[in-house]
Amino acid sequence: MSITDNSGSGPLPGEAVPVFDGNQVSGPLNCAGNEPGLTRIRNTVDGPRSGQCR
């Protein structure tokens, strides 16, 4: 799975950062180009992580 080129552009203060929350990933996870950096919480990743997902 790749998560790339996202931005936090929502109108509320909590939407200022892109969020990846509560997911199960059964393979590799690569994150790049997310601005500001991606917030990752409550995720399970069974494969390797790279880029901003380390």
mmCIF file of all heavy atoms in Angstrom:
data_model
loop_
_atom_site.group_PDB
_atom_site.id
_atom_site.type_symbol
_atom_site.label_atom_id
_atom_site.label_comp_id
_atom_site.label_asym_id
_atom_site.label_seq_id
_atom_site.Cartn_x
_atom_site.Cartn_y
_atom_site.Cartn_z
ATOM 1 N N MET A 1 0.850 -1.149 0.000
ATOM 2 C CA MET A 1 0.000 0.000 0.000
ATOM 3 C C MET A 1 0.902 1.219 0.000
ATOM 4 O O MET A 1 1.922 1.247 0.668
ATOM 5 C CB MET A 1 -0.896 -0.016 1.235
ATOM 6 C CG MET A 1 -1.620 1.278 1.464
ATOM 7 S SD MET A 1 -2.676 1.209 2.898
ATOM 8 C CE MET A 1 -4.209 1.001 2.049
ATOM 9 N N SER A 2 0.490 2.248 -0.741
ATOM 10 C CA SER A 2 1.211 3.518 -0.764
ATOM 11 C C SER A 2 0.266 4.654 -0.382
ATOM 12 O O SER A 2 -0.873 4.701 -0.840
ATOM 13 C CB SER A 2 1.764 3.806 -2.160
ATOM 14 O OG SER A 2 2.787 2.904 -2.476
ATOM 15 N N ILE A 3 0.775 5.533 0.448
ATOM 16 C CA ILE A 3 0.047 6.740 0.813
ATOM 17 C C ILE A 3 0.938 7.900 0.391
ATOM 18 O O ILE A 3 2.000 8.117 0.982
ATOM 19 C CB ILE A 3 -0.243 6.784 2.322
ATOM 20 C CG1 ILE A 3 -1.038 5.556 2.743
ATOM 21 C CG2 ILE A 3 -0.986 8.061 2.680
ATOM 22 C CD1 ILE A 3 -1.211 5.414 4.227
ATOM 23 N N THR A 4 0.544 8.602 -0.668
ATOM 24 C CA THR A 4 1.425 9.627 -1.224
ATOM 25 C C THR A 4 0.697 10.926 -1.537
ATOM 26 O O THR A 4 -0.481 10.933 -1.889
ATOM 27 C CB THR A 4 2.090 9.133 -2.520
ATOM 28 O OG1 THR A 4 1.079 8.746 -3.449
ATOM 29 C CG2 THR A 4 2.987 7.929 -2.266
ATOM 30 N N ASP A 5 1.448 12.009 -1.410
ATOM 31 C CA ASP A 5 1.051 13.347 -1.847
ATOM 32 C C ASP A 5 -0.274 13.839 -1.273
ATOM 33 O O ASP A 5 -1.100 14.415 -1.976
ATOM 34 C CB ASP A 5 1.020 13.416 -3.377
ATOM 35 C CG ASP A 5 2.372 13.113 -3.989
ATOM 36 O OD1 ASP A 5 3.396 13.473 -3.366
ATOM 37 O OD2 ASP A 5 2.419 12.516 -5.068
ATOM 38 N N ASN A 6 -0.473 13.621 0.023
ATOM 39 C CA ASN A 6 -1.662 14.135 0.710
ATOM 40 C C ASN A 6 -1.306 15.393 1.481
ATOM 41 O O ASN A 6 -0.155 15.600 1.866
ATOM 42 C CB ASN A 6 -2.198 13.089 1.692
ATOM 43 C CG ASN A 6 -2.706 11.878 0.968
ATOM 44 O OD1 ASN A 6 -3.776 11.910 0.391
ATOM 45 N ND2 ASN A 6 -1.931 10.811 0.972
ATOM 46 N N SER A 7 -2.295 16.245 1.727
ATOM 47 C CA SER A 7 -2.072 17.430 2.548
ATOM 48 C C SER A 7 -3.213 17.555 3.544
ATOM 49 O O SER A 7 -4.303 17.038 3.327
ATOM 50 C CB SER A 7 -2.006 18.683 1.683
ATOM 51 O OG SER A 7 -3.253 18.920 1.067
ATOM 52 N N GLY A 8 -2.919 18.221 4.631
ATOM 53 C CA GLY A 8 -3.953 18.506 5.616
ATOM 54 C C GLY A 8 -4.515 19.882 5.324
ATOM 55 O O GLY A 8 -3.931 20.878 5.695
ATOM 56 N N SER A 9 -5.609 19.938 4.628
ATOM 57 C CA SER A 9 -6.138 21.239 4.219
ATOM 58 C C SER A 9 -7.554 21.479 4.719
ATOM 59 O O SER A 9 -8.263 22.316 4.187
ATOM 60 C CB SER A 9 -6.103 21.354 2.698
ATOM 61 O OG SER A 9 -6.879 20.316 2.109
ATOM 62 N N GLY A 10 -7.950 20.732 5.730
ATOM 63 C CA GLY A 10 -9.306 20.900 6.249
ATOM 64 C C GLY A 10 -9.479 22.211 6.994
ATOM 65 O O GLY A 10 -8.508 22.834 7.413
ATOM 66 N N PRO A 11 -10.705 22.638 7.184
ATOM 67 C CA PRO A 11 -10.960 23.929 7.823
ATOM 68 C C PRO A 11 -10.795 23.925 9.345
ATOM 69 O O PRO A 11 -10.646 24.980 9.940
ATOM 70 C CB PRO A 11 -12.419 24.219 7.446
ATOM 71 C CG PRO A 11 -13.021 22.872 7.265
ATOM 72 C CD PRO A 11 -11.920 22.001 6.705
ATOM 73 N N LEU A 12 -10.795 22.751 9.967
ATOM 74 C CA LEU A 12 -10.677 22.677 11.426
ATOM 75 C C LEU A 12 -9.233 22.442 11.839
ATOM 76 O O LEU A 12 -8.467 21.813 11.099
ATOM 77 C CB LEU A 12 -11.564 21.550 11.960
ATOM 78 C CG LEU A 12 -13.055 21.676 11.637
ATOM 79 C CD1 LEU A 12 -13.811 20.439 12.091
ATOM 80 C CD2 LEU A 12 -13.629 22.924 12.275
ATOM 81 N N PRO A 13 -8.821 22.893 13.040
ATOM 82 C CA PRO A 13 -7.428 22.717 13.473
ATOM 83 C C PRO A 13 -6.963 21.264 13.446
ATOM 84 O O PRO A 13 -5.831 20.984 13.091
ATOM 85 C CB PRO A 13 -7.428 23.257 14.904
ATOM 86 C CG PRO A 13 -8.570 24.199 14.953
ATOM 87 C CD PRO A 13 -9.608 23.637 14.003
ATOM 88 N N GLY A 14 -7.811 20.302 13.774
ATOM 89 C CA GLY A 14 -7.443 18.892 13.761
ATOM 90 C C GLY A 14 -7.269 18.319 12.365
ATOM 91 O O GLY A 14 -6.812 17.204 12.207
ATOM 92 N N GLU A 15 -7.642 19.072 11.351
ATOM 93 C CA GLU A 15 -7.528 18.611 9.965
ATOM 94 C C GLU A 15 -6.319 19.218 9.257
ATOM 95 O O GLU A 15 -6.209 19.158 8.042
ATOM 96 C CB GLU A 15 -8.805 18.963 9.204
ATOM 97 C CG GLU A 15 -10.030 18.278 9.762
ATOM 98 C CD GLU A 15 -11.320 18.777 9.147
ATOM 99 O OE1 GLU A 15 -11.341 19.873 8.562
ATOM 100 O OE2 GLU A 15 -12.316 18.055 9.259
ATOM 101 N N ALA A 16 -5.393 19.795 10.015
ATOM 102 C CA ALA A 16 -4.220 20.441 9.423
ATOM 103 C C ALA A 16 -3.148 19.443 9.010
ATOM 104 O O ALA A 16 -2.195 19.799 8.332
ATOM 105 C CB ALA A 16 -3.644 21.451 10.405
ATOM 106 N N VAL A 17 -3.284 18.181 9.413
ATOM 107 C CA VAL A 17 -2.297 17.141 9.115
ATOM 108 C C VAL A 17 -3.038 15.926 8.556
ATOM 109 O O VAL A 17 -4.059 15.524 9.099
ATOM 110 C CB VAL A 17 -1.536 16.740 10.404
ATOM 111 C CG1 VAL A 17 -0.585 15.602 10.157
ATOM 112 C CG2 VAL A 17 -0.804 17.936 10.984
ATOM 113 N N PRO A 18 -2.523 15.304 7.449
ATOM 114 C CA PRO A 18 -3.161 14.078 6.970
ATOM 115 C C PRO A 18 -3.019 12.954 8.002
ATOM 116 O O PRO A 18 -1.977 12.816 8.628
ATOM 117 C CB PRO A 18 -2.414 13.750 5.680
ATOM 118 C CG PRO A 18 -1.240 14.640 5.609
ATOM 119 C CD PRO A 18 -1.399 15.708 6.629
ATOM 120 N N VAL A 19 -4.078 12.158 8.177
ATOM 121 C CA VAL A 19 -4.104 11.118 9.209
ATOM 122 C C VAL A 19 -4.415 9.761 8.583
ATOM 123 O O VAL A 19 -5.323 9.635 7.765
ATOM 124 C CB VAL A 19 -5.165 11.452 10.281
ATOM 125 C CG1 VAL A 19 -5.255 10.343 11.316
ATOM 126 C CG2 VAL A 19 -4.864 12.778 10.949
ATOM 127 N N PHE A 20 -3.646 8.735 9.007
ATOM 128 C CA PHE A 20 -3.876 7.342 8.640
ATOM 129 C C PHE A 20 -4.160 6.633 9.954
ATOM 130 O O PHE A 20 -3.266 6.444 10.770
ATOM 131 C CB PHE A 20 -2.629 6.801 7.938
ATOM 132 C CG PHE A 20 -2.758 5.412 7.409
ATOM 133 C CD1 PHE A 20 -3.649 5.115 6.392
ATOM 134 C CD2 PHE A 20 -1.973 4.393 7.904
ATOM 135 C CE1 PHE A 20 -3.764 3.832 5.884
ATOM 136 C CE2 PHE A 20 -2.071 3.106 7.400
ATOM 137 C CZ PHE A 20 -2.966 2.831 6.390
ATOM 138 N N ASP A 21 -5.413 6.251 10.196
ATOM 139 C CA ASP A 21 -5.835 5.834 11.527
ATOM 140 C C ASP A 21 -6.669 4.562 11.476
ATOM 141 O O ASP A 21 -7.626 4.453 10.717
ATOM 142 C CB ASP A 21 -6.660 6.969 12.134
ATOM 143 C CG ASP A 21 -7.198 6.681 13.521
ATOM 144 O OD1 ASP A 21 -6.801 5.675 14.127
ATOM 145 O OD2 ASP A 21 -8.015 7.469 14.011
ATOM 146 N N GLY A 22 -6.313 3.579 12.326
ATOM 147 C CA GLY A 22 -7.128 2.392 12.550
ATOM 148 C C GLY A 22 -7.203 1.428 11.385
ATOM 149 O O GLY A 22 -8.278 0.903 11.101
ATOM 150 N N ASN A 23 -6.078 1.170 10.724
ATOM 151 C CA ASN A 23 -6.067 0.296 9.557
ATOM 152 C C ASN A 23 -5.228 -0.952 9.791
ATOM 153 O O ASN A 23 -4.300 -0.947 10.586
ATOM 154 C CB ASN A 23 -5.494 1.057 8.352
ATOM 155 C CG ASN A 23 -6.340 2.246 8.005
ATOM 156 O OD1 ASN A 23 -7.369 2.119 7.383
ATOM 157 N ND2 ASN A 23 -5.911 3.424 8.453
ATOM 158 N N GLN A 24 -5.557 -2.017 9.077
ATOM 159 C CA GLN A 24 -4.754 -3.238 9.074
ATOM 160 C C GLN A 24 -4.187 -3.395 7.671
ATOM 161 O O GLN A 24 -4.939 -3.535 6.709
ATOM 162 C CB GLN A 24 -5.599 -4.452 9.426
ATOM 163 C CG GLN A 24 -4.884 -5.757 9.195
ATOM 164 C CD GLN A 24 -4.721 -6.561 10.461
ATOM 165 O OE1 GLN A 24 -5.406 -6.318 11.438
ATOM 166 N NE2 GLN A 24 -3.828 -7.515 10.433
ATOM 167 N N VAL A 25 -2.860 -3.377 7.550
ATOM 168 C CA VAL A 25 -2.177 -3.522 6.264
ATOM 169 C C VAL A 25 -1.437 -4.851 6.295
ATOM 170 O O VAL A 25 -0.601 -5.083 7.162
ATOM 171 C CB VAL A 25 -1.191 -2.350 6.023
ATOM 172 C CG1 VAL A 25 -0.483 -2.509 4.703
ATOM 173 C CG2 VAL A 25 -1.925 -1.018 6.091
ATOM 174 N N SER A 26 -1.737 -5.736 5.353
ATOM 175 C CA SER A 26 -1.143 -7.078 5.386
ATOM 176 C C SER A 26 0.132 -7.184 4.553
ATOM 177 O O SER A 26 0.753 -8.232 4.529
ATOM 178 C CB SER A 26 -2.160 -8.112 4.911
ATOM 179 O OG SER A 26 -2.571 -7.827 3.591
ATOM 180 N N GLY A 27 0.540 -6.129 3.897
ATOM 181 C CA GLY A 27 1.766 -6.142 3.103
ATOM 182 C C GLY A 27 2.606 -4.933 3.427
ATOM 183 O O GLY A 27 2.444 -4.304 4.465
ATOM 184 N N PRO A 28 3.507 -4.558 2.507
ATOM 185 C CA PRO A 28 4.355 -3.397 2.740
ATOM 186 C C PRO A 28 3.566 -2.087 2.710
ATOM 187 O O PRO A 28 2.539 -1.983 2.041
ATOM 188 C CB PRO A 28 5.362 -3.445 1.594
ATOM 189 C CG PRO A 28 4.856 -4.428 0.615
ATOM 190 C CD PRO A 28 3.817 -5.258 1.273
ATOM 191 N N LEU A 29 4.070 -1.101 3.449
ATOM 192 C CA LEU A 29 3.452 0.219 3.508
ATOM 193 C C LEU A 29 4.507 1.260 3.183
ATOM 194 O O LEU A 29 5.552 1.314 3.827
ATOM 195 C CB LEU A 29 2.880 0.469 4.910
ATOM 196 C CG LEU A 29 2.240 1.833 5.157
ATOM 197 C CD1 LEU A 29 1.054 2.066 4.216
ATOM 198 C CD2 LEU A 29 1.802 1.950 6.617
ATOM 199 N N ASN A 30 4.257 2.076 2.166
ATOM 200 C CA ASN A 30 5.163 3.140 1.768
ATOM 201 C C ASN A 30 4.425 4.471 1.829
ATOM 202 O O ASN A 30 3.316 4.590 1.311
ATOM 203 C CB ASN A 30 5.681 2.896 0.349
ATOM 204 C CG ASN A 30 6.571 4.026 -0.121
ATOM 205 O OD1 ASN A 30 7.445 4.470 0.608
ATOM 206 N ND2 ASN A 30 6.332 4.503 -1.315
ATOM 207 N N CYS A 31 5.042 5.463 2.448
ATOM 208 C CA CYS A 31 4.451 6.796 2.540
ATOM 209 C C CYS A 31 5.472 7.817 2.062
ATOM 210 O O CYS A 31 6.626 7.781 2.476
ATOM 211 C CB CYS A 31 4.067 7.110 3.984
ATOM 212 S SG CYS A 31 2.903 5.940 4.705
ATOM 213 N N ALA A 32 5.031 8.739 1.188
ATOM 214 C CA ALA A 32 5.940 9.760 0.668
ATOM 215 C C ALA A 32 5.157 10.972 0.192
ATOM 216 O O ALA A 32 4.016 10.852 -0.259
ATOM 217 C CB ALA A 32 6.745 9.193 -0.490
ATOM 218 N N GLY A 33 5.764 12.136 0.292
ATOM 219 C CA GLY A 33 5.192 13.352 -0.253
ATOM 220 C C GLY A 33 4.003 13.909 0.492
ATOM 221 O O GLY A 33 3.320 14.797 -0.016
ATOM 222 N N ASN A 34 3.716 13.407 1.693
ATOM 223 C CA ASN A 34 2.601 13.919 2.484
ATOM 224 C C ASN A 34 3.077 15.152 3.238
ATOM 225 O O ASN A 34 4.118 15.133 3.888
ATOM 226 C CB ASN A 34 2.111 12.840 3.452
ATOM 227 C CG ASN A 34 1.644 11.624 2.706
ATOM 228 O OD1 ASN A 34 0.655 11.662 2.000
ATOM 229 N ND2 ASN A 34 2.375 10.520 2.840
ATOM 230 N N GLU A 35 2.324 16.254 3.137
ATOM 231 C CA GLU A 35 2.763 17.527 3.700
ATOM 232 C C GLU A 35 1.645 18.176 4.491
ATOM 233 O O GLU A 35 0.582 18.438 3.913
ATOM 234 C CB GLU A 35 3.202 18.446 2.566
ATOM 235 C CG GLU A 35 3.872 19.708 2.993
ATOM 236 C CD GLU A 35 5.141 19.484 3.797
ATOM 237 O OE1 GLU A 35 5.938 18.596 3.488
ATOM 238 O OE2 GLU A 35 5.317 20.212 4.768
ATOM 239 N N PRO A 36 1.818 18.423 5.776
ATOM 240 C CA PRO A 36 2.959 17.986 6.573
ATOM 241 C C PRO A 36 2.957 16.471 6.718
ATOM 242 O O PRO A 36 2.046 15.807 6.231
ATOM 243 C CB PRO A 36 2.735 18.671 7.918
ATOM 244 C CG PRO A 36 1.277 18.944 7.992
ATOM 245 C CD PRO A 36 0.804 19.106 6.561
ATOM 246 N N GLY A 37 3.973 15.943 7.372
ATOM 247 C CA GLY A 37 4.103 14.492 7.497
ATOM 248 C C GLY A 37 2.841 13.830 8.035
ATOM 249 O O GLY A 37 2.076 14.410 8.800
ATOM 250 N N LEU A 38 2.613 12.637 7.604
ATOM 251 C CA LEU A 38 1.426 11.850 7.922
ATOM 252 C C LEU A 38 1.395 11.471 9.400
ATOM 253 O O LEU A 38 2.387 11.004 9.942
ATOM 254 C CB LEU A 38 1.469 10.594 7.057
ATOM 255 C CG LEU A 38 0.290 9.668 7.023
ATOM 256 C CD1 LEU A 38 -0.884 10.345 6.341
ATOM 257 C CD2 LEU A 38 0.650 8.406 6.276
ATOM 258 N N THR A 39 0.248 11.640 10.047
ATOM 259 C CA THR A 39 0.048 11.148 11.408
ATOM 260 C C THR A 39 -0.489 9.729 11.312
ATOM 261 O O THR A 39 -1.467 9.470 10.622
ATOM 262 C CB THR A 39 -0.950 12.039 12.171
ATOM 263 O OG1 THR A 39 -0.403 13.342 12.294
ATOM 264 C CG2 THR A 39 -1.242 11.474 13.545
ATOM 265 N N ARG A 40 0.182 8.777 11.994
ATOM 266 C CA ARG A 40 -0.217 7.374 11.951
ATOM 267 C C ARG A 40 -0.555 6.918 13.370
ATOM 268 O O ARG A 40 0.295 6.967 14.249
ATOM 269 C CB ARG A 40 0.921 6.522 11.389
ATOM 270 C CG ARG A 40 1.351 6.950 10.012
ATOM 271 C CD ARG A 40 2.678 6.326 9.589
ATOM 272 N NE ARG A 40 3.676 6.169 10.616
ATOM 273 C CZ ARG A 40 4.544 7.103 11.000
ATOM 274 N NH1 ARG A 40 4.538 8.280 10.470
ATOM 275 N NH2 ARG A 40 5.431 6.857 11.931
ATOM 276 N N ILE A 41 -1.792 6.470 13.560
ATOM 277 C CA ILE A 41 -2.197 5.981 14.880
ATOM 278 C C ILE A 41 -3.090 4.750 14.723
ATOM 279 O O ILE A 41 -3.820 4.616 13.753
ATOM 280 C CB ILE A 41 -2.935 7.061 15.695
ATOM 281 C CG1 ILE A 41 -4.066 7.689 14.893
ATOM 282 C CG2 ILE A 41 -1.984 8.134 16.182
ATOM 283 C CD1 ILE A 41 -4.880 8.727 15.627
ATOM 284 N N ARG A 42 -2.975 3.821 15.674
ATOM 285 C CA ARG A 42 -3.798 2.601 15.772
ATOM 286 C C ARG A 42 -3.808 1.783 14.483
ATOM 287 O O ARG A 42 -4.854 1.278 14.081
ATOM 288 C CB ARG A 42 -5.226 2.967 16.179
ATOM 289 C CG ARG A 42 -5.318 3.627 17.513
ATOM 290 C CD ARG A 42 -6.725 3.896 17.875
ATOM 291 N NE ARG A 42 -7.386 4.666 16.829
ATOM 292 C CZ ARG A 42 -8.449 5.407 17.017
ATOM 293 N NH1 ARG A 42 -8.990 5.497 18.196
ATOM 294 N NH2 ARG A 42 -8.998 6.068 16.018
ATOM 295 N N ASN A 43 -2.665 1.635 13.831
ATOM 296 C CA ASN A 43 -2.569 0.816 12.622
ATOM 297 C C ASN A 43 -1.760 -0.434 12.916
ATOM 298 O O ASN A 43 -0.874 -0.422 13.764
ATOM 299 C CB ASN A 43 -1.878 1.609 11.499
ATOM 300 C CG ASN A 43 -2.652 2.840 11.121
ATOM 301 O OD1 ASN A 43 -3.777 2.762 10.684
ATOM 302 N ND2 ASN A 43 -2.043 3.999 11.314
ATOM 303 N N THR A 44 -2.055 -1.506 12.204
ATOM 304 C CA THR A 44 -1.273 -2.727 12.256
ATOM 305 C C THR A 44 -0.714 -2.967 10.860
ATOM 306 O O THR A 44 -1.466 -3.012 9.889
ATOM 307 C CB THR A 44 -2.156 -3.928 12.661
ATOM 308 O OG1 THR A 44 -2.752 -3.650 13.920
ATOM 309 C CG2 THR A 44 -1.343 -5.203 12.725
ATOM 310 N N VAL A 45 0.620 -3.081 10.772
ATOM 311 C CA VAL A 45 1.274 -3.301 9.482
ATOM 312 C C VAL A 45 2.097 -4.571 9.597
ATOM 313 O O VAL A 45 3.022 -4.659 10.400
ATOM 314 C CB VAL A 45 2.169 -2.099 9.095
ATOM 315 C CG1 VAL A 45 2.839 -2.350 7.751
ATOM 316 C CG2 VAL A 45 1.362 -0.817 9.063
ATOM 317 N N ASP A 46 1.754 -5.592 8.787
ATOM 318 C CA ASP A 46 2.449 -6.875 8.841
ATOM 319 C C ASP A 46 3.683 -6.924 7.951
ATOM 320 O O ASP A 46 4.502 -7.805 8.092
ATOM 321 C CB ASP A 46 1.494 -8.013 8.446
ATOM 322 C CG ASP A 46 0.370 -8.172 9.454
ATOM 323 O OD1 ASP A 46 0.571 -7.845 10.645
ATOM 324 O OD2 ASP A 46 -0.718 -8.597 9.049
ATOM 325 N N GLY A 47 3.818 -5.992 7.021
ATOM 326 C CA GLY A 47 4.976 -5.953 6.135
ATOM 327 C C GLY A 47 5.937 -4.834 6.515
ATOM 328 O O GLY A 47 5.737 -4.138 7.504
ATOM 329 N N PRO A 48 6.965 -4.637 5.704
ATOM 330 C CA PRO A 48 7.916 -3.568 5.978
ATOM 331 C C PRO A 48 7.292 -2.195 5.753
ATOM 332 O O PRO A 48 6.359 -2.051 4.973
ATOM 333 C CB PRO A 48 9.042 -3.835 4.987
ATOM 334 C CG PRO A 48 8.417 -4.623 3.883
ATOM 335 C CD PRO A 48 7.324 -5.413 4.513
ATOM 336 N N ARG A 49 7.837 -1.191 6.435
ATOM 337 C CA ARG A 49 7.403 0.199 6.296
ATOM 338 C C ARG A 49 8.559 0.995 5.707
ATOM 339 O O ARG A 49 9.700 0.774 6.079
ATOM 340 C CB ARG A 49 7.048 0.794 7.644
ATOM 341 C CG ARG A 49 5.961 0.062 8.348
ATOM 342 C CD ARG A 49 5.772 0.621 9.733
ATOM 343 N NE ARG A 49 4.893 -0.221 10.502
ATOM 344 C CZ ARG A 49 4.180 0.217 11.523
ATOM 345 N NH1 ARG A 49 4.262 1.463 11.911
ATOM 346 N NH2 ARG A 49 3.391 -0.612 12.163
ATOM 347 N N SER A 50 8.229 1.961 4.834
ATOM 348 C CA SER A 50 9.283 2.795 4.274
ATOM 349 C C SER A 50 8.816 4.237 4.130
ATOM 350 O O SER A 50 7.625 4.533 4.253
ATOM 351 C CB SER A 50 9.736 2.243 2.923
ATOM 352 O OG SER A 50 8.671 2.241 1.995
ATOM 353 N N GLY A 51 9.773 5.128 3.870
ATOM 354 C CA GLY A 51 9.474 6.546 3.720
ATOM 355 C C GLY A 51 8.961 7.154 5.007
ATOM 356 O O GLY A 51 9.491 6.892 6.077
ATOM 357 N N GLN A 52 7.916 7.961 4.908
ATOM 358 C CA GLN A 52 7.335 8.633 6.065
ATOM 359 C C GLN A 52 6.628 7.655 7.013
ATOM 360 O O GLN A 52 6.229 8.059 8.099
ATOM 361 C CB GLN A 52 6.334 9.696 5.615
ATOM 362 C CG GLN A 52 6.967 10.863 4.888
ATOM 363 C CD GLN A 52 5.918 11.794 4.328
ATOM 364 O OE1 GLN A 52 4.954 11.364 3.696
ATOM 365 N NE2 GLN A 52 6.108 13.094 4.541
ATOM 366 N N CYS A 53 6.482 6.416 6.640
ATOM 367 C CA CYS A 53 5.789 5.422 7.480
ATOM 368 C C CYS A 53 6.734 4.657 8.398
ATOM 369 O O CYS A 53 6.301 3.736 9.070
ATOM 370 C CB CYS A 53 5.027 4.431 6.587
ATOM 371 S SG CYS A 53 3.606 5.168 5.804
ATOM 372 N N ARG A 54 8.001 4.983 8.422
ATOM 373 C CA ARG A 54 8.940 4.262 9.300
ATOM 374 C C ARG A 54 8.670 4.526 10.741
ATOM 375 O O ARG A 54 8.196 5.496 11.161
ATOM 376 C CB ARG A 54 10.377 4.662 8.990
ATOM 377 C CG ARG A 54 10.838 4.060 7.734
ATOM 378 C CD ARG A 54 12.280 4.336 7.533
ATOM 379 N NE ARG A 54 12.367 4.705 6.116
ATOM 380 C CZ ARG A 54 13.383 5.276 5.570
ATOM 381 N NH1 ARG A 54 14.421 5.585 6.270
ATOM 382 N NH2 ARG A 54 13.394 5.557 4.307
#
